[in-house]
Each structure stands twice: as C-alpha cells, then as structure tokens.
Amino acid sequence: LALADSLTDAALRSQLWNAALMQLASRDPRRAAELASQSGDDHGLPVDFVYMRWAQSDLPAAWQSASRLEGQQGRQAQTAVLNALAQSDPPKAWELARNHASLAPELAENIIRIWSESDPAGALRAAENMTPVAVRSRAMSAALQSWGRQNAREAAKYAAEVADPILRSDLLRQLSMGPISEPQALFSTLLESMPPGDNFQQAAANLLRTWAQQNPQAAAAAIRQLPSGRMISEAAAQVASIWASSGKTAEAWNWAQSLPEGRARTTALESVIREIAGRNPQEALTMAAGLPDNERREALREIGKAFGLSSDLVGRNLMDHAYLLTWALMPEPAGAYRGPLCTSGIEDLRGGSFRR
C-alpha cells in the first residue's frame, strides 16, 4: 500500500492499491474496510469485495461498520453484507434491506432469489408487497421458477390463485420458462387459468419445448388439448423437431404420420424431414417419396433448403439457359413501348477466385 501511494501514474497506483487491499481483506477485513472508507473514491476501491469478505468472518461487525458509511460506498458495503447474510438467513437480510430505503430495489430482488432456493413459498409471500411493480414481478417470477423446479404442482397452484389477472398470466408465463418437475400439472393449470392471448401462447410454447426435451411422447399427446388450430400446428412442428433431433427420428416420423390430415400433420412432417435432411438427404428423399403429393412437395422444399445449407458447393457453380435476342419493327405504331432487351441470362462473366 505504501508503494502504491508513492507511484505517480494514477492508473497504476489504483491497480496496485486495489490488489493489495484485496489481499489484506482476506487476512484482516476490518483493517481493509477502514482503509477503504478512509480513502474515499480516490482509488476506485473494491468496497463490496472487502465487506463481503468481512461479513463471511464477522457479519455483525461488518454490518455495523457498513451502516455508518454514507453515499455510494455505504450502499456498496451494505449491499455486500446483506447478500452475504442472505446465504445463511434470508428473512433477516430481507428485513434489514426493507429498513434501508436508500438501497436499490434490486438488492431485495436478489435476496428473494436466494431465499427462494430454500423456501420458495416464504420468499413469494415476502415479495408480494414489493415496490416498484416491475421489481415485484421479477422477484416473484424468480421465486416461482425456483418452486417449479422443486414442486411444479404447488407452484402452479399458487400462481393460479393470484387475484390480479395480469400478474397471474405473467407469473404462469414465467413459470413455464424454467425447468419444471411436473409439466403435466403446469399444462393443466395453463389451460384452466390463462385466457387466450399472447401470454398463453408463449407459456404453452415454452412449456412444450421443455416438456418435449424430457418426454416427447407426453408432450405430443398434450398438443391435442390446445384450443387453436394455429397453436396446434406450431406446437406440433416444435415437438416433432425436438423429438427428431434427440435421435428418435423413427418415433417422431411415425407420430407425425399418425396425425389427422391438416396443417398440424404437414408442419410436423416438415420438421422431421428438415432434421433428417441435415444429416442424410438421401434418407429424407426416401421418406418423402411415400407422402401424398401436397405433403411431398413441402417435404422436398425442406430437403432442398437443408441440402443447400449443408453443401459448400452452393454458389460455386452457375447454371443458365441459352437464349437468343430478337427485335421486331411493327408496320404501324402499336403503343408497346420499349421492353427489356433480355429478361434473363448471363450478361457478364461472373468468374473469379471467389468461385473456387
């Protein structure tokens, strides 16, 4: 620290001071905190790191010291101590954070996130009265997702009983975005508790994506319960793609073929064909050959796209047809105006090293 103070280069002085202070924080965090608070903002000191290390060894003393600091340093120190406290006693950290209005709402949100790992129900009850509304929504969503990983049925039940319809839909949508222990329970809740609309469509799509990765057969069976034809076709395409990409191509293909004729069957078949064509275009062509005319045309289009993306020959060769330019002179004005001399063809050579 003495050496750092003797340097004339401000940037180098700050770097050396911070490095020495961080080493001191590991041995004597109280002394490191004193030095950090006495030096003000001259060195851009890692106050949060110093107080975090102090809180790990003597949390009451660290909090007492942090509470006496003011301004940006005080907020950084208090935030670091409360984050450390949240690891061992989140309800206590929550109460302290609520009593310090100067602390950012994001601190309370982070405490809720930590709390939800051990007691999601308690964390949700604490988050219900948070302000502002945006922070409350994020904190409740984080706690609910944690609960969903542990007990999806109870988490879905809680979300479905939220009185505010906008918040309820948003929570269910957020819950559908994380790993879910019981996808069927959440899917039933979505159908019962969410009105039709964008939130419902996003929630159903999110859940079916996660569900298909865990159990594609169950996700495929659930699709029939969706209310809208468009939603069913989009969900069928999504589940079929995930199912085929998992290596169970035959199962995905058989399921897609079992669907009744319509858009859902077509999109599901296209998704499976697309996955196969990326690996083995010839196999995809063989499978497409057995489809009805309208579905075969769509399948061949997907095979062509996949083959084009998989081959580095695309763009290296240029094909065209021979053409003959002709002119005609009418014996009297016909009002035809002048058309293009040529509507297609290779008018200039396009060779070059970039084609090789």
Side-chain angles (χ1 to χ4, degrees), residues 288-307:
L291 295 174
D293 288 346
N294 61 324
E295 293 177 344
R296 184 169 61 252
R297 284 194 296 272
E298 296 295 333
L300 291 175
R301 185 177 294 110
E302 293 300 326
I303 294 171
K305 292 178 184 176
F307 181 75

Side-chain angles (χ1 to χ4, degrees), residues 218-232:
I223 287 176
R224 300 178 186 273
Q225 301 177 52
L226 292 172
S228 154
R230 178 182 174 184
M231 282 190 67
I232 291 176

Side-chain angles (χ1 to χ4, degrees), residues 232-294:
I232 291 176
S233 62
E234 291 177 353
Q238 177 177 255
V239 170
S241 176
I242 294 172
W243 200 345
S245 65
S246 69
K248 299 177 180 178
T249 306
E251 291 182 10
W253 181 252
N254 291 336
W255 170 74
Q257 286 190 305
S258 72
L259 294 173
E261 185 175 346
R263 187 57 185 164
R265 170 187 159 98
T266 301
T267 56
L269 290 170
E270 289 174 9
S271 293
V272 179
I273 283 289
R274 190 182 305 117
E275 290 295 331
I276 298 172
R279 302 190 300 267
N280 191 334
Q282 186 57 53
E283 181 185 355
L285 285 170
T286 302
M287 297 174 73
L291 295 174
D293 288 346
N294 61 324

